[in-house]
Every structure is written in structure tokens, then in C-alpha cells.
Amino acid sequence: MRVPAEIDARARDLRAEIEHHNYRYYVLDDPEVADAEYDRLLRELQVLEQQYPDLVTPDSPTQRVGAAPVAEFGEVRHDVPMLSLDNAFTVEDLTAFDARVRDRLESPADVEYYAEPKLDGLAINLRYVDGLLVQAATRGDGSTGEDVTHNVRTIHAIPLRLAAGAPPVLDVRGEVFMPSKGFKAMNARALERGEKVFANPRNAAAGSLRQLDPRITASRPLDMFCYGWGAIEGWTLPERHSDVIAQLREWGLKVSPEARVVSGVEGCFKYYTEIGARRAALPYEIDGVVYKVNPLRAQRELGFVSRAPRWAVAHKFPAHEETTIVRDVEFQVGRTGALTPVARLEPVVVSGVTVSNATLHNMDELERKDVRIGDRVIVRRAGDVIPEIVKVIVERRPDDAKVVRLPVHCPVCGSDVERVEGEAVARCTGGLVCAAQRKESLLHFASRRAMDIEGLGSKLVDQLVDQALVQSPADLYSLQLLQLAGLDRMAEKSAQNVIDALERSKSTTLARFLFALGIRDVGEATAAALALHFGSLERILAASPDEIQQVPDVGPVVAAHVHAFFSEPRNREVVSALLSRGVQWPEQAPKSAPTEGPLTGKTFVITGTLSAMSRDDARDRIVALGGKVAGSVSRKTSFVVVGADPGSKAQKAAELGVPVLDEDAFLGVLAAH
């Protein structure tokens, strides 16, 4: 289809505007527009490219996650080797380095150095040809690395096209890393799903770049700072290293905001001390600082030795690891009921901080490391994250070291602890009565797709729980107007609105009620299937795991969760209290079959954020066309719909060979019917 001139011009303008906003957001950390406006521009470009496929260019912002999975990584030979750095660990080491530099340069004056933090990530080489990113490769052995272009293209901090003026050929060197906040959030999600957690951000970054499916990499919070260059054609280098870095930034590449030019060894020491003092507050992990002789003429004169330049050195920080003794292991209960073993340690100073606790993540991790009470262990504190036990010194284990057992009952509420076979995470089954889970369960209970209690948001729930006014969802229906009106930011009118919303919510459906209870892995589709299959709450309460498993699309794991939830006496007490306080649903003859339509027999799973509609709207559209929406991916899944920032379901789909639809393809399926 011929592209009209005005459409072609609009697409070019959109690409330029979106890349400008990417530069402001990811490189300068100074956005000019709200996220909604950025999403609108990107969606407009997506629609144009869908209508006119010839508009799609390799550097289009829509092509960040467009490549198919690769079978294996190809090899890339670096035109200019990617060298390592020599290390300095002490004041004497750094003084000796500076002395060697001045001696070779025959310079009695202080040498000018370019100083920057040493990121704890993965070195990468980016090749731009005529300003377009054409290849990305890992350092490898310095001469040959792995081709990870398909994954690097998903990192928003890396421009697909450089700004005007870039040379015909430019190799950029830098470090791909995972910011601490993103690392913590990713590991927290993995723990809740019972998946493997990464030991540190460096491993997470390296593992993310070595995924064969770029959609998995795209779901990881990766970033990059550029610090050097390799092959260059068609550009004369300026006089200083710092000038080159400044020019890279002008071309759209992200560089360290902490970098600085310093004078002499005293300037290096001062920089090292300042960065070290702020190390824990930085949004990423560093393990030292790097000094590079700033004048490029001096770099050329100094040259190289073996596999390292004579003009640069890495000044490493003291080790983050120390040895101590495990005095006890306790279990903490998270907001989703997950039990996390925490080691109570003989206090030890690690990187200037006294450490007395260390996370063990889950029982699989505890058992893999074979941590026992009384063991002597190596503890690591990386940046500002929670300390962890790296390994047990088995050869120094005392004879009376005590094996750690998973509690049978929740240490917070006394409910049974459930650990499904094959899963790493153990959980408390007292979802409705466990104080550790109370706020989360109340917010879910009140949410729009559950009981739809308008006005019952997080700030109000915090006050209700903190002031002991609500112990379980049933207590919501006993709240009085004066109780609510006496809370912060709750005038009488607002309090009355909540009372009215509570009263309205009493009339619901069995499916909504089941969903509102927050049973693990029971989403809306599963709740609706349970309601349709059993027809009444009484029959569900009396059902065995085998009987629950007869429900369409309910497997043994979900059946076990449902049965465990209703087998917990206090959960049943809360359910009875809800019914006694007026929660009800009309008697309704069960439907003999789901709605027939063009998607009948098709099961969809949705992961990530859709830009054209909410996930709830997408779910409604699928169901209206006769399809089903499931909460987990299995071999029976027909399609997985992948939006922005997808979760592990995208990876599961790739592992099982389930067809994946991006948002445009999904919209096409809906439009075709």
C-alpha cells in the first residue's frame, strides 16, 4: 500500500518527537511530558505503522521488542579489543599508579584524571553505522563477544538512532546494569511467584542480556551508562577523554552523572572518599571508582600492557563480605502470606554497617545453602540492599548445629502453612484473618472487580487496621458513621458515602464474592468457573480437591489452594460472618454453557500493560466473543497477550510454545470479529 506523503511526514515527526522524549526521560532524567501524553504519541505511531507496514523502520520506537527469539548467540569479533583494568585496593596502590603515570609522561606536575563510579554490571559494545544501532556485543574474552543486539534494543536508555552529526561508524563502550530499585522489585515479584531470585543486580543484568527471547529482556529493568569507545571512522577525536564523553551525551547516549575531572592523586583520593560516602544512596551498585588519564595524547603515549591500559585503574572499595555465626532463624510473613526465613546473626560490621539479620529468601534457598543454626557463614551486604548469607563454612560447622524446619503454623496468626510441591515459597493460609496480610486482603476485597466498595482506598484501610477497627472483611459491615467520621480526612459526608457503598456492596454475585476472598490463584475467570460449576457456596465449601479439579481450567495446584483456604476454620468463620451481616447474591440457575462466539474454545492469558484499553476491558471483550481468560499459562492456553512490562507469563509461553500476541496483533484479533 502506497504511503501518502502526509502520513509519511507525520510518522517521521512522531518518531523524532518520541525519541526526543526518550532522551529527556532516560538520558537526562528530565521529562517534558506526562506518561499519558508519551503513550498517546507512541500509540498513534503504532496505529500508523499497522495501517502502513512500509512505514516501519529499524530505528522506530515501536521496534524495541520486535525480534523473534534466537536459537543461539552469534560471535562478534571486536575491531578494537575490550580490555580489562588493573585494580588498586589501597592508598599505596593508587599512589604507585599515579607515580608510574607521571614517570612515563616525565611530568612533575599533577596529572588530570577523568573519574567515574565503577558500575557492577556487564560491559557491552554498541556499533552505530550512519547513526543507526546495528549491533551490540558483550565483552567476552576481550577479542570476541556474543551478539546480543536483539536484547539490547529493548533497553530504553540505549538510542536506536543517534542525533545528527554522529560519525559514519562508531563503537560505544559502556556498562549495562540493573538499578537497585528495579532489582528489588523484580526479586520481590519472583519470590511471590515462587520463582528463582537473583543473587545480586550484576547477575540479574548479565542473565537478562543472555536471554534468547528479547521479550524476557524487555520485562527486566535494565539501564546503561557509556564510558568509552572502540572503532571510530569519520570523526577526529578531541583532546580530552571528558570531551569525547560529553559528545557522546550530545548524540543521545547516557553517561554517568557522577563523573568528574580531578587533578592529581589528591583529587583522586577526594573523589573516592566522596563517592564512597554516598555509595549506599546511589540508585545502582558500584564496587569502586575508575580513574583515566584525561588528555588523549597522554593516553596514547602511555599505551597498554598485556590486556590492560597503563592510563587507567580501578580503585576498588573494601569487600562487602564478612564472617559471622547464625544464632537463630525466624520466619517473617509478607503481605501475600509468603513466609521468608530470616537469619539472626552474631552482629558483625560489613562495609561500615553493623549487620545482625540476613534474608534467606525462601525454603529452597535455605535448603540449597544448607544453613543451620550455629553455622559460621559468610555474609554479604551489597549497596543498600538487605544483607544475605553467601555461603556456609561447612568445615567449621559445630556438632550441635540445628537443621531449620518450616513452621507448620503461621507465626503471626497460627493458621496452617501451605507449601505446594514444586514451589519455593511457603504461605500462610489465613488470608482473611492474618494480621500480616490484613491490609492487602481488605484492599482486594473492596476493589472494583470484587465487592466494589467505592471510597475504601489504601489510606482509609491503613487507618482502619492501625486503629484496630477492622480485623477481617466482615468487620467492614459493622462500621458506624461516627467511627468513620472521626478518622483523618473523613468528614461526615465522606463517611456516609463509604457506609452507603458498603450497603450497596452487600448485593453481589457468587463469582464476585469468591474473587473478593483473595484465594491464591483464583482470579475472576476461575471464580466465575467455580460459581458456574458448583452453583452454590455450600457445595464449594464441601468439595474435595478432586471435585474442585473437575471445574474447567482448574488444575491440581489451584484446586489445592481453594480447598486449603476453605479448610482453614477462621476463614470459614469470616465467610459465615459476611453472610450473617447481609452479603448475598440472587439465586440463579447455572448456565449450561458459556457464551458462544467466534472465540469459543480459545483461552487467553493477559500479561503486562495494554495502551489501548485496560486489562479488565480486554477481558470483557474476550468473554463477550465467547473466549475464556485464564490467570496462568499452560499447554492448553491458546494465546498469551503481551503488553508493556510483561511478567513471567511471557517467559512461560515461550517455554511451552504457546503463541504470543503483542497488543497490535491482539487488537487485530478483536477487530476481525
Side-chain angles (χ1 to χ4, degrees):
M1 182 185 300
R2 183 176 176 274
V3 181
E6 63 274 15
I7 297 295
D8 184 60
R10 178 57 180 162
R12 286 200 305 272
D13 290 344
L14 284 169
R15 283 195 292 270
E17 187 173 1
I18 292 168
E19 283 304 333
H20 169 74
H21 291 312
N22 278 340
Y23 178 70
R24 299 289 307 189
Y25 185 90
Y26 292 104
V27 178
L28 302 184
D29 194 21
D30 184 25
E32 291 181 336
V33 297
D35 290 350
E37 173 64 13
Y38 177 89
D39 292 341
R40 185 191 67 75
L41 294 171
L42 186 62
R43 181 61 191 153
E44 182 181 351
L45 181 59
Q46 288 172 332
V47 170
L48 290 180
E49 291 181 350
Q50 187 177 8
Q51 292 174 342
Y52 301 97
D54 288 346
L55 285 175
V56 179
T57 61
D59 62 326
S60 173
T62 64
Q63 300 305 295
R64 286 280 179 188
V65 195
V70 298
E72 59 183 10
F73 295 104
E75 286 191 351
V76 174
R77 186 162 187 83
H78 303 302
D79 287 352
V80 176
M82 296 182 69
L83 302 178
S84 303
L85 293 176
D86 285 335
N87 293 321
F89 295 98
T90 66
V91 171
E92 292 76 17
D93 290 342
L94 183 59
T95 302
F97 164 76
D98 178 69
R100 288 194 301 271
V101 168
R102 287 188 291 107
D103 182 58
R104 286 183 174 274
L105 295 177
E106 297 181 353
S107 171
D110 285 343
V111 175
E112 185 179 80
Y113 291 103
Y114 180 82
E116 61 188 334
K118 185 179 182 299
L119 291 162
D120 198 11
L122 187 72
I124 206 82
N125 183 84
L126 308 175
R127 167 153 289 200
Y128 288 90
V129 175
D130 295 328
L132 184 68
L133 177 65
V134 297
Q135 190 181 73
T138 61
R139 192 183 80 87
D141 62 5
S143 298
T144 304
E146 291 181 320
D147 188 336
V148 290
T149 310
H150 64 306
N151 286 336
V152 164
R153 289 174 62 86
T154 71
I155 303 173
H156 286 275
I158 298 176
L160 300 180
R161 179 177 288 279
L162 299 179
V169 175
L170 173 64
D171 280 356
V172 179
R173 269 78 192 270
E175 196 90 356
V176 171
F177 62 95
M178 187 172 289
S180 302
K181 183 178 179 181
F183 171 73
K184 293 176 189 177
M186 186 181 74
N187 262 357
R189 290 193 297 270
L191 277 172
E192 290 186 4
R193 294 192 293 258
E195 299 171 354
K196 174 189 173 183
V197 296
F198 286 98
N200 53 60
R202 187 191 187 286
N203 289 353
S208 298
L209 274 188
R210 300 201 74 260
Q211 295 291 330
L212 296 176
D213 188 344
R215 290 167 299 194
I216 299 173
T217 307
S219 71
R220 306 279 175 81
L222 296 175
D223 205 338
M224 179 180 179
F225 285 158
C226 300
Y227 54 65
W229 59 93
I232 298 178
E233 296 179 13
W235 184 52
T236 302
L237 289 171
E239 293 184 356
R240 289 174 169 78
H241 187 100
S242 55
D243 296 332
V244 180
I245 300 301
Q247 184 59 66
L248 293 180
R249 188 174 187 269
E250 289 297 315
W251 286 329
L253 292 153
K254 193 171 183 179
V255 301
S256 173
E258 305 292 338
R260 193 158 72 236
V261 175
V262 301
S263 179
V265 71
E266 292 301 325
C268 291
F269 283 137
K270 183 178 179 182
Y271 181 83
Y272 177 86
T273 302
E274 290 177 358
I275 291 294
R278 296 171 43 224
R279 180 184 181 188
L282 293 175
Y284 41 79
E285 286 200 11
I286 62 174
D287 56 4
V289 299
V290 175
Y291 312 114
K292 301 172 183 175
V293 173
N294 199 32
L296 297 187
R297 177 195 56 78
Q299 286 189 11
R300 290 190 291 270
E301 187 175 340
L302 288 164
F304 303 87
V305 55
S306 183
R307 300 174 63 83
R310 289 193 179 99
W311 44 265
V313 70
H315 191 179
K316 304 296 284 290
F317 288 130
H320 276 309
E321 298 180 350
E322 292 292 346
T323 303
T324 187
I325 297 172
V326 178
R327 293 303 184 196
D328 198 3
V329 173
E330 299 176 0
F331 286 82
Q332 295 179 344
V333 184
R335 61 182 180 81
T336 62
L339 269 68
T340 301
V342 176
R344 306 303 183 193
L345 308 171
E346 185 74 28
V348 61
V349 177
V350 185
S351 298
V353 175
T354 300
V355 172
S356 56
N357 303 310
T359 180
L360 289 162
H361 299 302
N362 53 51
M363 284 302 296
D364 276 0
E365 185 77 355
L366 185 150
E367 291 165 357
R368 182 182 69 79
K369 292 179 176 176
D370 190 21
V371 178
R372 304 182 187 183
I373 298 170
D375 273 341
R376 185 170 291 274
V377 296
I378 297 174
V379 180
R380 173 191 294 149
R381 178 179 175 270
D384 198 29
V385 300
I386 299 171
E388 64 175 348
I389 290 176
V390 179
K391 65 174 292 186
V392 175
I393 306 175
V394 178
E395 55 271 23
R396 298 184 64 182
R397 170 172 285 161
D399 294 337
D400 60 348
K402 184 179 177 182
V403 176
V404 180
R405 306 292 185 190
L406 179 70
V408 176
H409 300 292
C410 171
V412 175
C413 71
S415 299
D416 290 343
V417 169
E418 173 194 38
R419 187 185 184 195
V420 176
E421 186 177 352
E423 293 191 6
V425 178
R427 297 179 190 269
C428 164
T429 59
L432 297 181
V433 295
C434 183
Q437 305 175 64
R438 190 165 294 150
K439 291 180 181 179
E440 189 70 17
S441 65
L442 288 171
L443 286 170
H444 174 76
F445 184 84
S447 63
R448 185 171 67 87
R449 308 290 291 194
M451 298 300 284
D452 192 19
I453 307 173
E454 190 174 351
L456 196 65
S458 59
K459 288 184 173 58
L460 179 54
V461 166
D462 284 345
Q463 292 188 73
L464 293 173
V465 173
D466 293 344
Q467 297 188 31
L469 295 175
V470 172
Q471 302 293 323
S472 78
D475 294 335
L476 293 170
Y477 295 99
S478 298
L479 289 171
Q480 302 298 312
L481 179 63
L482 291 180
Q483 285 179 307
L484 289 173
L487 299 175
D488 289 345
R489 301 181 184 179
M490 285 293 290
E492 186 170 335
K493 183 177 180 181
S494 299
Q496 186 61 55
N497 289 339
V498 173
I499 294 292
D500 293 342
L502 283 163
E503 190 62 32
R504 288 193 301 271
S505 73
K506 289 180 180 179
S507 297
T508 186
T509 66
L510 176 57
R512 275 181 173 266
F513 182 76
L514 291 171
F515 177 58
L517 295 178
I519 306 168
R520 188 174 171 217
D521 286 341
V522 175
E524 289 179 79
T526 302
L530 288 165
L532 181 67
H533 180 86
F534 287 104
S536 72
L537 179 61
E538 290 74 15
R539 290 185 61 195
I540 297 174
L541 292 172
S544 67
D546 288 341
E547 290 171 328
I548 297 171
Q549 200 173 330
Q550 300 308 308
V551 178
D553 297 323
V554 172
V557 174
V558 176
H561 292 330
V562 174
H563 186 262
F565 182 89
F566 286 118
S567 295
E568 170 54 50
R570 278 169 295 185
N571 284 343
R572 293 177 76 113
E573 288 175 10
V574 174
V575 169
S576 297
L578 285 166
L579 299 180
S580 68
R581 290 169 194 179
V583 176
Q584 59 183 334
W585 46 89
E587 291 293 332
Q588 194 172 358
K591 296 179 181 179
S592 57
T595 303
E596 292 290 331
L599 297 183
T600 297
K602 304 293 185 184
T603 300
F604 292 74
V605 172
I606 305 172
T607 181
T609 303
L610 305 179
S611 60
M613 65 182 75
S614 68
R615 286 170 59 166
D616 289 342
D617 290 338
R619 184 182 295 108
D620 292 343
R621 293 282 297 277
I622 292 169
V623 173
L625 292 171
K628 295 180 181 178
V629 180
S632 58
V633 182
S634 70
R635 296 189 186 278
K636 296 180 180 179
T637 304
S638 306
F639 300 101
V640 173
V641 180
V642 178
D645 299 322
S648 62
K649 294 171 185 175
Q651 181 176 358
K652 185 72 172 178
E655 293 172 356
L656 297 178
V658 175
V660 172
L661 302 176
D662 62 16
E663 184 170 357
D664 287 340
F666 173 59
L667 293 175
V669 170
L670 298 181
H673 302 295

